[in-house]
Amino acid sequence: MVGDSTVAAGGEGRPGRFLLALVLQRWALRRWALWRLPRRGQVWYLVGVDALAVAAVVLAALRFPPLAAMLVPFALLTAGMLVSAELARPVERHREDTLLGPGVDTPWIFAGVLVLRPGLAVALVVLSTLHQWFRVRRKPVHRQVFGAAATALAGLAAGAFLTATGVRPLGEVLGARTVLLLTAAGLVFLAVNAALVTGADGPRRPREAAPGHAFDAAMTAFGLALAWAVVAAPLLVPVLAGAAVVLHRGGLGAGRRDHVTLDPGTGVLTAASWRGAAEARLDRLGAHVPGPAVLVLDLDHFRVLNERYGGRVGDAVLRAVAGALRDEVRAADLVGRSGGEEFSVLLPGTRPFDAMAIAERIRLRIASTLVALKASGDGPQFVGVTVSIGVAGCSDGLLGDALLAAERAVLRAKAAGRNRTVCAEPAS
């Protein structure tokens, strides 16, 4: 019923069947958040890029089938990529995505483009995406698929450039012409990927995007050395992998994120860090970008849930809500925990109408998010929570006023029955 915040569901079937159904539902195409995006043009663009990537990969794999001699380099690159990604996982979980996504995988993927046939090179992209999904951070499925499609198309474009210029195969000695053409292939790889991502998310201000571009370029350049080592000096590959992880963990992998403090219970920004990052973001955006908007979310009857099931379950619910929030917002959006059961979100470049659509999508996602309790004789038990959301525009750049307006909208949502989204009334 609308307004009920505590949801317990029992399962008469086997727990394994329920979990399998849960996984299948998550990956079901019709349930993707893609179809709930407010702009239909963006939906068709994402679908078009995905379809183009599938068609291009199939055609390239048929035209240039994998060779048996490439299985050893492929295994070496796969092992190095997965080990490096696992060692860099603590950094990757909290690093704001650059245009190429998980940066520590980028050199391995580009090295695969340089030394492997298209099918095996794209297989590296798929393995990277699966590792990110299961071990790093789960974004909405359509964004994860689009990221893989964009990287695959960028790799195919770079590979086509190398084939046209006759660079392959790499030798033990690289001449000046070869180095120049490999560098040009790296630029093609970066440019195609950046163009595809910009088409989906819109352009970013140069000052804000420059650090991310620099990081992606550095990781791609590192891929040149890895590609040469795989062919000419395989024993150097573990050395270069260790160097990449050290650089990544030591600061290069921080990408575009400023030094911030994360809430240990939920993994989102603390209230102070969110406020500072939001104000800095507004200062950078100025009046050149429409919007932004602010969301304030307050969980309904969370104290009742906490008292009934205990703090451990309450903490698990907060983590689940924070995970749902991260899944439903974009990489450029800021999510913070502003109170015990309250969260705040800054949506740059988002007008109130679109912000309402995003907030409603978040509300529905949180309402369908369940946390498992200890199984009883009746089968597994689950608990969930609903949320009341206030939406306010921040077109004048005054964050404090926007937050106050959003908080008043939250109170109106509570008074109207909870589990609903309310837009702040325009200033008179």
Side-chain angles (χ1 to χ4, degrees), residues 152-166:
L153 286 173
L156 291 175
F161 173 83
L162 291 172
T163 301
T165 53

Side-chain angles (χ1 to χ4, degrees), residues 36 359-369 387 389 419:
R36 300 192 297 272
E360 187 64 9
R361 189 176 73 223
I362 291 172
R363 184 187 68 81
L364 294 173
R365 172 69 182 274
I366 291 175
S368 64
T369 300
V387 64
I389 305 179
N419 189 22

